[in-house]
Amino acid sequence: QQQNTQRNAVMTILICFLIAFIEGIDLQSAGVAAAGVGAHFGLDKPALGLFFSAAILGLLPGGLVGGRLGDRIGRKKVLIISVTLFGLFSILTASVSSYSGLLFARFMTGVGLGAALPNLVALASEAVSEKARGRAISLMYCGMPIGGIAVSLLASSALAADWKVIFYVGGVLPLLVIPLMMWFLPESRAFLATQQADQQVAKTKFSDLFNHYFRMPTLLLWVGYFFTMMVVYMLLNWLPSLLMDLGFQKKDATMVQMFFSVGAFIGTIVLGVLVDRWKMKNVILLMYSGIVIGLVALNSFDTVTGMYLAGALVGCFTIGGQMVLYALGSQVYPTQMRGTGVGTAMAGGRFGAMAGPAVAGQFLTMGNGATGLIATCIPGIIIAAVLILILLGTMQKRAQA
């Protein structure tokens, strides 16, 4: 029995890692293919901005509906549907002939990606004991930055001379993983247990997130996710442009993005281990302090090597920190509402993800420099840290009550 459980856990994390890896490719593909897409469709900067935002916009309903359905009909079924969606629409992105078709294909890719993520978090966290939850989520989630590194390497190779190649790769890979999921991915045991226990799942409603017990944790989690994701996506989208504004060469700016992804991979693994070993409060303090130090470093260093270090630092604590917040979300809610809870918190974060790049664009248009923009990220990070620490205090009081 124990051997069987272990084998199921390994299989679950491995397949979830693969899907997260493909998500990493898909999420970064727009940025990497932007120049080719812009030239092909004759897009100006605002039109290209919409192309970036379309997939992020799709993540919103995807996360809400995907998390909810995962609690209702099962994590595995929803994951298979989500992966099929983002595979097919990624291929469609490369084959549409109109700009409106392009936006629709990116939006639907985002819906698939958004629906997959809360179910990946739920499956990884429910495949292992509570003591190993952080490590399980981090091993699954580190697929994302590795996917980001892979797509950067693909973009710099001769293979991707045509922008469509990136979207074909991002579309064919998920379709190849679907048979693996059907045959080898076990459904979450925790989900099956709650299904049998008095059909509790059917009775869980969205409004349960706001009952007297969950109202405060839900709101704190949402606003914490919002401010953190706002800064993460501001950096993801604007980092190379900001560095070029500061006088760095394009190839150096691209290398900083690469170091950002490498830092993200290391941060995801290390913070995941710490979630299981340390008190969550200490991990949160380390993560948000790390983001602030990284932002200060981005503003202070003026050598290429210094910038590589700053990029790695920021990647380590922003992307690694996102994983910590997902792990925290999986601790706030019980099994029967975990998908719904984590999915809606992610949706709250997506508003920040959409606001971040747009606010940055406005800020720069008003004539403020890159250093000013990086400095304005710091208050948002401090607000998020304070809210998450208050949430942890609330959870601790409950546990003792």
Side-chain angles (χ1 to χ4, degrees):
Q1 177 65 34
Q2 198 180 359
Q3 217 176 0
N4 203 13
T5 307
Q6 249 175 342
R7 200 173 56 238
N8 278 355
V10 170
M11 210 65 213
T12 300
I13 291 162
L14 194 65
I15 291 175
C16 288
F17 166 86
L18 261 179
I19 297 163
F21 170 78
I22 297 163
E23 284 223 5
I25 291 177
D26 267 313
L27 282 171
Q28 301 237 8
S29 58
V32 169
V37 172
H40 183 85
F41 287 95
L43 308 180
D44 56 7
K45 280 228 161 64
L48 205 53
L50 267 178
F51 164 69
F52 286 140
S53 300
I56 300 175
L57 192 62
L59 292 170
L60 244 173
L64 283 170
V65 176
R68 184 86 190 101
L69 279 177
D71 284 343
R72 277 289 175 89
I73 63 170
R75 326 290 192 210
K76 179 178 173 173
K77 278 182 197 158
V78 178
L79 203 52
I80 290 171
I81 296 165
S82 314
V83 172
T84 309
L85 255 185
F86 72 73
L88 292 175
F89 280 101
S90 185
I91 291 169
L92 192 68
T93 305
S95 34
V96 291
S97 53
S98 68
Y99 177 58
S100 54
L102 180 74
L103 291 184
F104 176 70
R106 285 310 290 159
F107 174 78
M108 290 305 294
T109 305
V111 170
L113 293 168
L117 203 48
N119 289 292
L120 287 174
V121 172
L123 275 167
S125 72
E126 289 166 5
V128 293
S129 69
E130 228 165 292
K131 283 197 203 102
R133 211 169 255 179
R135 273 164 292 173
I137 293 175
S138 73
L139 283 170
M140 172 278 288
Y141 194 71
C142 76
M144 285 252 191
I146 297 175
I149 296 167
V151 83
S152 302
L153 292 173
L154 174 65
S156 58
S157 73
L159 276 174
D162 180 0
W163 63 271
K164 295 184 176 185
V165 170
I166 289 165
F167 292 110
Y168 283 130
V169 170
V172 171
L173 285 178
L175 300 181
L176 294 176
V177 173
I178 290 167
L180 274 183
M181 293 164 72
M182 286 174 154
W183 292 323
F184 299 111
L185 180 66
E187 180 55 276
S188 153
R189 285 199 331 281
F191 166 77
L192 293 172
T194 50
Q195 273 248 305
Q196 284 158 357
D198 194 22
Q199 290 300 303
Q200 240 178 326
V201 175
K203 294 175 188 168
T204 314
K205 304 182 290 294
F206 260 125
S207 55
D208 291 346
L209 297 175
F210 294 100
N211 66 21
H212 68 98
Y213 193 81
F214 286 111
R215 187 183 306 126
M216 194 67 178
T218 294
L219 291 173
L220 288 168
L221 201 62
W222 283 16
V223 186
Y225 268 46
F226 176 89
F227 279 109
T228 310
M229 303 275 247
M230 187 170 177
V231 173
V232 170
Y233 276 82
M234 200 182 275
L235 289 169
L236 267 180
N237 284 288
W238 282 96
L239 198 56
S241 316
L242 290 176
L243 293 171
M244 277 145 69
D245 284 353
L246 292 171
F248 288 88
Q249 297 297 314
K250 187 177 192 307
K251 72 171 195 326
D252 293 333
T254 312
M255 274 308 284
V256 173
Q257 192 85 335
M258 184 76 165
F259 273 89
F260 181 93
S261 294
V262 173
F265 167 66
I266 295 166
T268 302
I269 296 291
V270 173
L271 288 169
V273 171
L274 293 179
V275 164
D276 293 333
R277 300 263 170 96
W278 288 9
K279 286 186 171 146
M280 186 57 111
K281 181 182 171 182
N282 296 342
V283 181
I284 294 289
L285 284 169
L286 169 70
M287 157 197 152
Y288 282 114
S289 309
I291 296 175
V292 171
I293 293 165
L295 290 169
V296 171
L298 274 180
N299 259 359
S300 315
F301 292 151
D302 49 13
T303 64
V304 174
T305 320
M307 275 302 177
Y308 290 166
L309 178 66
L313 249 183
V314 171
C316 172
F317 290 106
T318 52
I319 306 292
Q322 245 181 301
M323 182 282 306
V324 173
L325 289 182
Y326 294 158
L328 175 62
S330 77
Q331 289 176 15
V332 170
Y333 301 106
T335 305
Q336 66 269 23
M337 56 195 293
R338 185 168 289 131
T340 307
V342 175
T344 45
M346 283 178 183
R350 298 297 172 209
F351 279 111
M354 287 186 287
V359 168
Q362 284 304 112
F363 190 87
L364 294 168
T365 309
M366 283 155 59
N368 298 297
T371 45
L373 175 66
I374 294 167
T376 54
C377 292
I378 293 173
I381 287 299
I382 292 168
I383 293 168
V386 170
L387 292 172
I388 297 294
L389 289 170
I390 294 170
L391 167 63
L392 288 174
T394 315
M395 285 167 69
Q396 202 176 357
K397 274 188 204 141
R398 291 217 171 135
Q400 289 163 354

